[in-house]
Amino acid sequence: MSTQPLCISRKQVLNLLLTSALLAACSAPGQPTEPAEPAATQAPATAAVATEAPPPLATATSVPPTATAEPISLRVATITDETTLQPYTYVSGYPGWNMLSLVYDTLFILDTNSQPKPWVATGDQVSADGLVHTLTLRDDVRWHDGQPLTSADVKFAYEFYQANNHGRWTLPVRDIVSIEAPDDTTVIITLPAPDPSFPTRLLADVPIIPRHVWEGVTDPKTFENALGSGPFLLAEYEPEQFYRFTANPDYFAGKPGVAELLMPIIKDPTTVFAALKSGEIHATTRELAPELVAEFKADPTRRVLSGPGYATTLLQFNNERAPWDQAEVRQAVALAIDTRMLVDTVLLGLGTPGNPGWLHPAQPFHDPAIAATYDVERAKTLLDELGYTDTDGDGVREAAGQPMAPVLLVQANNPGRIRAAELIAAAMQEIGIAVTVSAEEGTSLTAKVWPDFDVAKGRDFDWTMFGWSAPVQIDPLRMATLVDSDVRYGTVNIGGYRSAEADALTAQLRVTTDPEAQIELVRKLEATIARDLPFVMLWYADLNYAFDPAVYDGWVFQMGQGVFNKLSFLPGVTP
């Protein structure tokens, strides 16, 4: 895919990657961290209500706050190849969705506090019964080919996602009763029941695709076209090498502060940070490794932005495979894991130990009475009571005549998780469980844990180190997707957890719009998860991002998610 010549030649990009690979590990120093607004100030999710149309979006009236007025060519390394980067081919929740959002728009957008605000739509008028949403669109939004984005595109996009399954887009639009487009700037969506997550999970998350491009597409996973309406055009993509984006000068929210965004694909973290230190790249989608934070903060040529992270790292059990299908066994494993020690050792204290009920402790929905317990002796007792003992004296307990010896899958390019997996394996030795850590390439691991990103296709693993990007945590009601046993709703229930109690709570959450009732239901579900432990929450890492302010200093920290977001490239714009 190529439409324009590169400002940096392909050969130079390759040289960047090869040279960076030879650099020593980073040892650079930063400036004082600018803390993000405390997570505790995040407003609870509320029922969808009538939203007044906002004033016109503020746009930058001068060059962005950088050291030069020349057009900016910014090099930001990304950690994964997101393939052709259209809604059916991008790979990861982060940074894939964030890269996708540079090319495609949504009707709403998450602001710096990660709250949904009008964007392509100027507002959402909701009927008294909560079933009918009337959205008014801006009339100045254009696709990259110059054609106007209208209500017909929105109707087409949502209906396309209904008809062509996607693990992320189909669920929020699947049960829509009807979508009407009575004129170019009006969309009327009728729901079967009130949906308290409608603004966040649908309006601010599901990308709009152009009808005139996608009409007639029968196999979206093989369709190669990344024409959107976003602030950047995808000008070139070389698999496993780089992406190049160019600014959309006619973007409705204002011309981006960066003229060209080159994103080399650098999977190795040591190489990424070495390239950042040397100046071969100016920023990266990868947060700083904990051991590098102090060094980059001390470097006067670099700047670090920090804040709480809502991305999660967890130990996921296969709840369908014995003996991990027993809650008491999972409880024993959790009791033997010192999450505080993991944070202090792996993250050097730059994070928050996991809450067994899933939610970040700073979330206003979180029940403070729920907390992790570390008790090795209690773990041993639980296993003894189940009759799982070491009968042959080899140090490993047996269950149904088989040694309790799970294989723990972990991403090979994530040294923090590998270290944590090793520490967990050592902890399990104390209670008679022999863990084998297997570091695997990401796609290989995903194929076993979440084949084709479809939980209905089953799973083939014992344990895995896994994580979910910040959006799953930002909207507390989305925790239902982690545990619902119905594959239509439990779209990220990768462990196959089943609980009638959890299912009843998630069913209520899907239709409850009263804020106080939402909190009560979330806390009940939190307690159920903390008791049954379909996974063990390990930590929520703080987010620290280093960049070169002399090249570009327009980065903004989005609550729980970091600096790589659409707003970082739109100086002066406030949703």
Side-chain angles (χ1 to χ4, degrees):
M1 179 187 301
S2 179
T3 58
Q4 301 179 35
L6 277 169
C7 288
I8 299 178
S9 71
R10 187 174 305 168
K11 182 178 180 180
Q12 286 174 308
V13 173
L14 292 173
N15 285 340
L16 166 66
L17 300 177
L18 293 172
T19 301
S20 295
L22 298 175
L23 291 175
C26 296
S27 57
Q31 281 199 32
T33 295
E34 292 191 1
E37 183 178 345
T41 63
Q42 181 183 355
T46 58
V49 295
T51 305
E52 293 295 326
L57 290 172
T59 58
T61 56
S62 60
V63 296
T66 60
T68 175
E70 296 298 319
I72 297 170
S73 179
L74 185 67
R75 296 194 297 273
V76 180
T78 184
I79 59 179
T80 59
D81 185 334
E82 300 291 343
T83 71
T84 53
L85 204 64
Q86 51 96 331
Y88 279 87
T89 60
Y90 86 103
V91 177
S92 64
Y94 178 87
W97 183 90
N98 305 67
M99 293 170 66
L100 190 74
S101 73
L102 300 181
V103 179
Y104 294 88
D105 279 313
T106 50
L107 296 188
F108 274 32
I109 191 172
L110 296 183
D111 65 10
T112 55
N113 289 319
S114 291
Q115 296 301 304
K117 297 292 178 62
W119 192 244
V120 168
T122 63
D124 176 19
Q125 298 293 326
V126 186
S127 62
D129 60 7
L131 302 182
V132 180
H133 293 255
T134 302
L135 297 129
T136 302
L137 309 185
R138 297 176 65 99
D139 61 5
D140 57 353
V141 183
R142 297 286 183 272
W143 296 108
H144 292 158
D145 61 4
Q147 293 200 36
L149 187 158
T150 71
S151 59
D153 293 301
V154 177
K155 173 180 170 64
F156 170 80
Y158 290 173
E159 291 179 343
F160 189 89
Y161 296 134
Q162 286 178 322
N164 298 273
N165 185 64
H166 183 280
R168 183 162 179 166
W169 319 132
T170 300
L171 178 61
V173 302
R174 184 191 58 224
D175 294 329
I176 290 176
V177 174
S178 66
I179 308 173
E180 303 170 56
D183 58 56
D184 283 352
T185 59
T186 303
V187 178
I188 302 173
I189 298 176
T190 301
L191 304 178
D195 183 356
S197 292
F198 184 82
T200 302
R201 293 180 60 200
L202 194 153
L203 300 182
D205 197 69
V206 179
I208 307 305
I209 53 177
R211 182 178 68 168
H212 66 281
V213 172
W214 284 75
E215 213 165 28
V217 172
T218 57
D219 187 358
K221 292 183 179 180
T222 61
F223 185 54
E224 293 190 13
N225 188 298
L227 186 145
S229 63
F232 288 94
L233 291 74
L234 179 57
E236 186 163 359
Y237 159 62
E238 286 291 336
E240 299 297 334
Q241 294 180 37
F242 65 85
Y243 292 85
R244 184 173 68 91
F245 302 87
T246 55
N248 177 1
D250 302 316
Y251 191 54
F252 73 89
K255 185 178 179 180
V258 171
E260 178 186 63
L261 176 62
L262 181 68
M263 300 189 70
I265 300 165
I266 309 178
K267 296 182 179 181
D268 178 66
T270 300
T271 303
V272 169
F273 298 131
L276 182 58
K277 179 184 176 184
S278 69
E280 291 178 272
I281 60 174
H282 309 128
T284 174
T285 61
R286 186 185 288 272
E287 62 271 19
L288 282 175
E291 64 271 17
L292 299 178
V293 172
E295 295 180 17
F296 272 91
K297 284 184 178 181
D299 182 354
T301 68
R302 298 292 181 267
R303 189 174 171 210
V304 176
L305 283 179
S306 298
Y310 282 175
T312 52
T313 296
L314 50 86
L315 174 65
Q316 175 70 60
F317 300 104
N318 182 345
N319 288 247
E320 294 180 332
R321 181 171 292 180
W324 325 118
D325 57 345
Q326 293 180 271
E328 294 85 355
V329 174
R330 300 192 298 265
Q331 290 166 7
V333 171
L335 285 166
I337 298 175
D338 186 348
T339 55
R340 177 76 262 175
M341 179 274 290
L342 291 179
V343 168
D344 290 343
T345 303
V346 179
L347 304 182
L348 303 182
L350 300 176
T352 301
N355 158 34
W358 163 256
L359 290 178
H360 192 295
Q363 275 272 15
F365 278 66
H366 166 60
D367 182 350
I370 297 175
T373 301
Y374 173 54
D375 189 338
V376 175
E377 293 308 312
R378 175 58 183 153
K380 294 177 182 178
T381 300
L382 269 178
L383 295 175
D384 289 341
E385 291 172 347
L386 290 169
Y388 297 153
T389 58
D390 175 15
T391 60
D392 57 10
D394 65 352
V396 181
R397 296 173 185 265
E398 293 90 31
Q402 298 298 317
M404 299 181 75
V407 174
L408 172 51
L409 305 181
V410 63
Q411 291 86 348
N413 70 338
N414 194 319
R417 287 188 182 175
I418 292 174
R419 177 59 176 144
E422 292 169 344
L423 292 170
I424 289 171
M428 292 304 103
Q429 285 183 331
E430 292 190 52
I431 63 171
I433 296 177
V435 175
T436 299
V437 176
S438 177
E440 302 196 6
E441 190 271 330
T443 55
S444 173
L445 184 150
T446 303
K448 296 177 181 178
V449 175
W450 196 17
D452 294 329
F453 307 106
D454 184 352
V455 295
K457 294 189 175 182
R459 52 206 54 84
D460 182 19
F461 70 98
D462 297 320
W463 298 1
T464 185
M465 295 280 288
F466 219 77
W468 299 108
S469 56
V472 185
Q473 181 80 210
I474 284 169
D475 178 3
L477 307 187
R478 285 186 70 172
M479 66 193 295
T481 64
L482 295 159
V483 295
D484 199 303
S485 63
D486 187 329
V487 296
R488 295 175 302 166
Y489 303 112
T491 54
V492 292
N493 182 3
I494 58 173
Y497 168 69
R498 291 182 176 276
S499 164
E501 181 180 343
D503 287 350
L505 290 169
T506 59
Q508 292 179 68
L509 272 175
R510 286 195 292 271
V511 298
T512 299
T513 58
D514 177 73
E516 292 303 317
Q518 286 177 343
I519 291 176
E520 181 180 357
L521 287 169
V522 165
R523 290 185 171 182
K524 286 181 178 179
L525 184 56
E526 185 180 24
T528 301
I529 294 172
R531 180 197 67 211
D532 290 351
L533 294 168
F535 45 77
V536 179
M537 273 303 310
L538 301 175
W539 68 68
Y540 320 86
D542 293 344
L543 299 177
N544 299 277
Y545 295 90
F547 57 91
D548 184 346
V551 178
Y552 187 67
D553 197 18
W555 302 99
V556 296
F557 194 98
Q558 191 176 51
M559 177 64 65
Q561 304 201 65
V563 302
F564 190 73
N565 58 76
K566 187 179 293 188
L567 295 178
S568 279
F569 299 99
L570 298 172
V573 174
T574 303

